[in-house]
Amino acid sequence: MLRIALLFLALLALPLKAATVTNLYQAQVALPDTDRQSEQAARKQALEQVLIKVSGQSDIVENEVVAKALGSSSQYVSQFSYANRDGQRTLLLTFDRNRIRTLLTQANSTFWGEQRPSVLVWLVEDANRSRNIIWDQSNNDLAKLIQSEGDRRGVPVMMPIGDFEDVTAISIPDIWGGFAQPIATASQRYQPQAVLVVRARQQDGEQVALNWQLYSGNIDQLARNQVAPSEGRNSGETVTTVGQMVDSVSDILGAKYAVPLGGDTSGQLAVVVENIQSSKDFFTLERLITNLTSVAGVNAYRIQGDRVEFTVQLLSTEDVFQRELSQDSRLSAVTAPVAEQYEPAPQPEGMLRATDISAPAPADQPAPEGDESSEVDVSGTEQLDGEPQAVNTQVEAKPAKQAAVFSWSNSASTPVAL
């Protein structure tokens, strides 16, 4: 049985293996002149870039509400400064995240948080009848451009390092032919959440032709050919073509991970997770749910045996929440519903009560002796990196509507399944 006291003695588990994007609300745009009209145009362009990054949609500017807001971009700016980039005077702006989110909510758009899937890029460049794999240290202009465009869209892009392990695991024909098994094997060490395979043909002048495949499933699915990749072709001027490819890739990932805002929501849900074996499991799970973009708040409602029930306040719909939750491979849905809803007596704020109520005892059977239930005040401290931190834990008097039951496994090889 899970003992409550241990929950507050453990360190928080490590976060999911996803990249944190820190510049979602910043944009740097060229400022060709110093007049007021040029600066207004630059502010509008910067706001467009931020809205595209945060929404995950390249066509967000076509939204009527957003298009109207672009005409008064200054009200969304929190900081600005002037800088230089490659000899060009620029305007560096930071936008207010709360106002940006409010705007996207009013537009019934989507919101893509700071935790984003890392994309590993296998790039083969065909130039002058010579094909080469582009590694991280290649100092290749095309690779730099892909990474720069990824930064513009808020998508973390990484290139393979090209050491002995890489060059023995994969070959140019493997990548050019799009063979899933060697690509999956070579990608495993990087633990990406998506794999982008790019075949580039340099053409006359500054022209390039790109054929690409995006695998947004986990590595195991890629190795077993269980997930068909998204595919695309782009050709033309290099900067424009790479931007088009990255926009397509980002839109695909944004459609999968961005959370719809606005409209009707399902309010509170009770989420039950079984097989919680330790305090580390508990805190990992709590942090996982808290960090979901669709979640406004989480309360641990009941702990009984190895099962934990959370009351979750949603920012979006129940379907979106369950889709986000199911993307972590440590959670698997339990098809059998919980047989009975329990209605515990109201408890003081800041208290968690754990009682083994997995099955009612027969009338002629005496109640078990010993510490079968416990009560712990959690309003004071919570262990975080070994130091006590202030916390304010609310316990609901009544359970919310039950959404789903999941089983937890802390031994999954791939923490995030995409």
Side-chain angles (χ1 to χ4, degrees), residues 338-368:
V338 172
E340 184 177 356
Q341 288 285 346
Y342 295 95
E343 195 81 21
Q347 302 170 38
E349 181 177 317
M351 302 294 292
L352 281 178
R353 182 182 297 277
T355 306
D356 185 0
I357 53 175
S358 57
D364 58 349
Q365 181 176 325

Side-chain angles (χ1 to χ4, degrees), residues 53-311:
K53 280 195 294 185
V54 177
S55 70
Q57 302 177 21
S58 60
D59 61 353
I60 183 64
V61 295
E62 298 175 12
N63 183 287
E64 292 183 2
V65 175
V66 170
K68 184 177 180 180
L70 290 173
S72 54
S73 58
S74 295
Q75 65 177 303
Y76 299 97
V77 176
S78 61
Q79 294 180 0
F80 73 94
S81 60
Y82 300 96
N84 284 279
R85 182 175 60 189
D86 300 328
Q88 170 71 56
R89 190 168 184 262
T90 62
L91 183 61
L92 179 62
L93 297 117
T94 300
F95 291 87
D96 185 283
R97 63 178 61 212
N98 293 327
R99 292 185 178 182
I100 292 296
R101 177 148 186 165
T102 299
L103 173 59
L104 293 176
T105 301
Q106 294 169 341
N108 289 323
S109 183
T110 54
F111 177 82
W112 198 3
E114 294 180 346
Q115 295 296 317
R116 300 197 171 191
S118 57
V119 181
L120 177 65
V121 179
W122 292 102
L123 170 63
V124 171
E125 188 175 34
D126 186 340
N128 300 319
R129 298 183 180 180
S130 175
R131 293 177 181 172
N132 296 288
I133 301 176
I134 306 303
W135 308 109
D136 183 56
Q137 303 300 324
S138 298
N139 198 32
N140 178 270
D141 290 339
L142 192 59
K144 290 180 180 178
L145 188 55
I146 292 174
Q147 291 175 316
S148 174
E149 289 297 301
D151 183 68
R152 174 181 63 83
R153 286 299 305 265
V155 174
V157 171
M158 57 180 171
M159 310 294 295
I161 57 179
D163 60 1
F164 180 78
E165 185 173 346
D166 279 338
V167 299
T168 55
I170 200 166
S171 66
I172 293 173
D174 292 334
I175 301 174
W176 196 266
F179 294 108
Q181 182 61 57
I183 293 173
T185 300
S187 301
Q188 187 70 47
R189 65 185 296 203
Y190 297 99
Q191 287 295 292
Q193 283 83 54
V195 175
L196 178 63
V197 180
V198 183
R199 298 174 288 278
R201 290 184 185 272
Q202 294 293 343
Q203 299 178 329
D204 294 337
E206 295 296 322
Q207 305 287 308
V208 68
L210 303 177
N211 292 327
W212 54 268
Q213 294 175 306
L214 174 69
Y215 294 90
S216 57
N218 63 37
I219 299 300
D220 292 336
Q221 291 173 326
L222 169 59
R224 296 191 297 267
N225 288 309
Q226 290 183 333
V227 179
S230 301
E231 298 181 325
R233 295 183 179 183
N234 303 94
S235 62
E237 192 271 330
T238 300
V239 174
T240 302
T241 300
V242 171
Q244 291 171 344
M245 177 187 72
V246 173
D247 277 336
S248 296
V249 168
S250 302
D251 286 350
I252 292 170
L253 295 175
K256 187 170 186 178
Y257 295 105
V259 173
L261 297 174
D264 294 331
T265 65
S266 301
Q268 285 190 344
L269 296 175
V271 178
V272 178
V273 182
E274 300 175 342
N275 197 36
I276 301 299
Q277 300 295 329
S278 68
S279 55
K280 181 178 180 180
D281 288 347
F282 173 85
F283 283 119
T284 303
L285 176 63
E286 184 183 48
R287 175 64 62 85
L288 185 159
I289 298 175
T290 301
N291 286 341
L292 295 180
T293 307
S294 58
V295 171
V298 178
N299 289 316
Y301 173 71
R302 183 190 291 111
I303 301 173
Q304 46 190 38
D306 68 349
R307 191 170 71 181
V308 179
E309 181 176 338
F310 293 96
T311 299

